[in-house]
Amino acid sequence: MHIWMRIPAPEPDTTPFSDYFSGRTPVTSEPNVNTKKESRKSWGVRIFLTLEQNTPVDDAITLFQSAHTDLAESVKGLEYATLIIGWNGTGPAGEDLHTSIDVDLVRPRSELDFQCERLRIAAGLNQGSIGAVGIPLETDEAISIGHVQTDTLPADVVLAPPAAADGTVLTYEDGLEIGGTSLRISASSDVDLSVVPLDAVLAALPDGTEDPTREPHVRLDAVGPGYADGLPGIEIYAQDLTLDEAEPILRAFDGAEGPHAIKIRVASPQEADMQFLLTDGVLAEDPSWKTEEATELLGRL
């Protein structure tokens, strides 16, 4: 007769992690190491680190890559060993920047290297005033970029997401305040946004600076083929937008190359969501969503 006993896994020793990062350049804080029991037989470790102000991105990457190699024995048997890193810097316009990245030392080195490449690319997007850059732990999730307020659209940056060196598609989410307009962009490097007339659209919007209660919102969703039948989708909203005010916005797309899927919401003469398709420079109503307001607006062009 055999009696099987389930012996729980012991709590992992966190000393190797504390010793490794304590006093190591460019780490500027004492590492904070936490353990978490994931199941009866598995544990995870989280290491919180702060890097020196204005740490160059290549110095940060060297730290991640060396830790992946040097701590290989210490992470064996762990569910995860996540570095949660943040560091502050100064942008080209003197603004404060915050960069964050999560790195799991348990994962294959190839994943870490790809994540570090995304970090280099995000750092390269700092051509303008950026408030924060975040590189998520999951390599298939979007890089997040938070711009501080700016007066003009840094089109060369936000409309040209680069692919990885091996051609792998990269995705990012960008948030900007341009004048009185809130602009949100979700984009990936397999969608060409160079022909999106965002400058003209922004110029045609009601001025949210003069009346903040009307702050216009523009959302550009262009994450991979398949959205809106493969078209970059643009949603435009401004508080109490009238049909007359929507006319110059739609006119900004007239003659543009496209293709785009366009959605504009108006509040008067009656509330309506209008949807249009722009293909080969021609604007038309979305056949799946026809409204009297959209028909009238197209008739004015």
Side-chain angles (χ1 to χ4, degrees):
M1 180 177 179
H2 297 280
I3 299 176
W4 296 96
M5 296 181 64
R6 290 188 177 181
I7 302 175
E11 183 173 355
D13 181 11
T14 60
T15 304
F17 301 102
S18 298
D19 290 348
Y20 186 80
F21 293 107
S22 293
R24 179 178 292 268
T25 303
V27 179
T28 189
S29 65
E30 271 303 306
N32 182 2
V33 185
N34 294 333
T35 59
K36 183 180 179 182
K37 193 172 186 179
E38 295 299 320
S39 69
R40 186 178 182 86
K41 298 290 287 184
S42 67
W43 286 79
V45 173
R46 290 187 174 91
I47 307 104
F48 296 86
L49 301 173
T50 303
L51 304 189
E52 294 173 0
Q53 183 97 351
N54 292 320
T55 293
V57 66
D58 284 334
D59 290 355
I61 288 172
T62 297
L63 175 70
F64 310 152
Q65 293 175 331
S66 62
H68 191 277
T69 300
D70 298 341
L71 292 170
E73 288 298 318
S74 299
V75 304
K76 283 184 176 178
L78 292 176
E79 191 78 15
Y80 54 82
T82 306
L83 303 181
I84 301 172
I85 307 114
W87 72 96
N88 297 322
T90 305
E95 74 280 11
D96 293 331
L97 301 179
H98 177 74
T99 305
S100 60
I101 179 171
D102 293 349
V103 174
D104 190 351
L105 301 179
V106 171
R107 296 194 178 192
R109 175 61 181 263
S110 59
E111 288 193 23
L112 171 63
D113 289 345
F114 179 59
Q115 200 172 11
C116 288
E117 183 174 4
R118 296 203 310 161
L119 180 59
R120 282 196 182 96
I121 289 172
L125 290 173
N126 284 4
Q127 307 168 35
S129 298
I130 292 181
V133 177
I135 314 295
L137 183 63
E138 300 296 333
T139 53
D140 59 350
E141 290 184 3
I143 298 170
S144 63
I145 302 173
H147 282 69
V148 298
Q149 189 161 345
T150 180
D151 293 328
T152 58
L153 172 67
D156 58 329
V157 177
V158 301
L159 299 185
D166 63 358
T168 303
V169 171
L170 294 182
T171 304
Y172 77 90
E173 297 175 351
D174 202 344
L176 303 90
E177 295 292 328
I178 300 177
T181 300
S182 173
L183 174 62
R184 297 291 179 266
I185 298 177
S186 299
S188 58
S189 54
D190 59 345
V191 178
D192 181 11
L193 300 181
S194 61
V195 294
V196 177
L198 270 180
D199 281 314
V201 171
L202 294 174
L205 290 166
D207 191 351
T209 304
E210 294 183 2
D211 186 357
T213 64
R214 300 198 67 193
E215 179 190 14
H217 293 263
V218 178
R219 178 165 181 80
L220 172 58
D221 193 336
V223 180
Y227 178 83
D229 294 327
L231 308 182
I234 303 172
E235 296 185 11
I236 299 164
Y237 171 79
Q239 186 74 24
D240 298 326
L241 188 71
T242 67
L243 203 60
D244 288 340
E245 290 173 323
E247 181 179 339
I249 299 173
L250 189 63
R251 197 176 291 276
F253 292 99
D254 193 25
E257 182 177 341
H260 311 313
I262 304 158
K263 182 176 181 179
I264 304 175
R265 176 177 296 178
V266 294
S268 63
Q270 63 182 6
E271 190 170 298
D273 286 331
M274 303 178 295
Q275 295 185 188
F276 307 90
L277 296 178
L278 173 63
T279 53
D280 298 324
V282 178
L283 271 169
E285 281 188 76
D286 184 338
S288 67
W289 188 273
K290 287 181 172 289
T291 63
E292 293 181 3
E293 291 77 12
T295 302
E296 179 182 342
L297 202 56
L298 278 175
R300 299 184 186 185
L301 301 184

